Structures are given as C-alpha cells and as structure tokens.
Amino acid sequence: MAAGDGICVSCEYHCNTLTDTNASAQQLISELGDCGVKLLWQPPNGESFEYCMEGLEAVLEKVTNIHTFHWINNGKGEIERRPLGEGEERWVKYLKKAASDGVVRYALIEFVFDGTPEQFSKDAAALKSWLGKL
C-alpha cells in the first residue's frame, strides 16, 4: 500500500528483528521482492568488519540511509559505545561502499558516546571529514 502511494518503508538493521543477521536481512528483502520496502543499514553490533561489509554489499541496492556509530567489544563480553572518530578505519570503507553505486544516501549519527552536545559535535566533524574524502 505504501509503494502505491509513493511512500518508501525502510526497516532498520537491529538485533532481535528480521534484520538482525546478514542472512535474515537478505531473506526479508528477497521475500518482499519489489514492494518498495528498503533498509536503513548499520553494522551489527559485535560483528567483524568483514561480516558487516559483506552484509552491506549484499543489500546495498535496497539501502536508503546509513546509521553511523562506533561500538566495540571491550573484551569482557560487553559492547561499549565509543566516539565515532575512533571508527574511522571501518567507517570510511562503509561509506565508500555506500556511495559506490551513485545512489544518494544520507548518513546519520546515532548513539553518541557520552550523550553530550560536545561529543556530538566531534562526531559530526569526523563524519563530515570522512564524507569529504569520498
């Protein structure tokens, strides 16, 4: 119904949903076909760079926008929120892949390290710098 009204529905990659693994996200998109449902991609928490990139590459044609954040496995079995700038090595590669097909997509900042406006400004500066390199 949404597609018939020119509306795009985008599902966020998220744990405990139909998009919580690369395989389940690909299955969802495959089963839905061309009904207009797309994806808001973000790297699954705690997964390797290779796994995340494989997932992005597999669904890129269905990705509308990118959620940027940097979380790491702290070695204690916990995922720790970190400043976005610390994720430059990964994020520049993700963003280059997201831009590689010429489709206009937006990158938004999600999960600011300490929740402060100052950290948000630092994250925004890092993201702006990376986008300037594409």
Side-chain angles (χ1 to χ4, degrees):
M1 292 183 326
D5 287 336
I7 298 170
C8 173
V9 175
S10 290
C11 299
E12 182 178 10
Y13 260 58
H14 209 282
C15 64
N16 302 316
T17 71
L18 295 175
T19 58
D20 65 354
T21 67
N22 288 346
S24 65
Q26 291 169 38
Q27 180 179 352
L28 175 66
I29 289 301
S30 175
E31 289 181 10
L32 290 173
D34 267 341
C35 71
V37 173
K38 306 264 181 155
L39 297 169
L40 300 169
W41 185 85
Q42 63 190 27
N45 294 328
E47 297 293 346
S48 70
F49 168 78
E50 293 76 16
Y51 179 87
C52 296
M53 184 61 85
E54 286 171 9
L56 176 58
E57 290 171 346
V59 297
L60 185 60
E61 69 179 25
K62 296 290 187 173
V63 172
T64 54
N65 294 311
I66 308 290
H67 290 188
T68 65
F69 59 89
H70 186 58
W71 290 9
I72 61 167
N73 185 327
N74 67 7
K76 300 175 188 173
E78 302 167 341
I79 302 296
E80 182 180 318
R81 193 180 294 189
R82 301 294 307 153
L84 183 61
E86 291 180 10
E88 180 174 7
E89 184 177 346
R90 287 180 167 219
W91 275 106
V92 168
K93 293 173 185 172
Y94 294 147
L95 294 168
K96 282 183 180 178
K97 177 52 70 178
S100 67
D101 61 359
V103 173
V104 175
R105 294 182 178 92
Y106 297 93
L108 63 92
I109 297 170
E110 190 172 28
F111 307 119
V112 174
F113 170 58
D114 60 6
T116 65
E118 294 79 19
Q119 185 60 53
F120 176 80
S121 293
K122 290 176 185 177
D123 290 355
L127 179 58
K128 184 177 179 181
S129 170
W130 304 337
L131 293 172
K133 297 176 185 179
L134 301 182

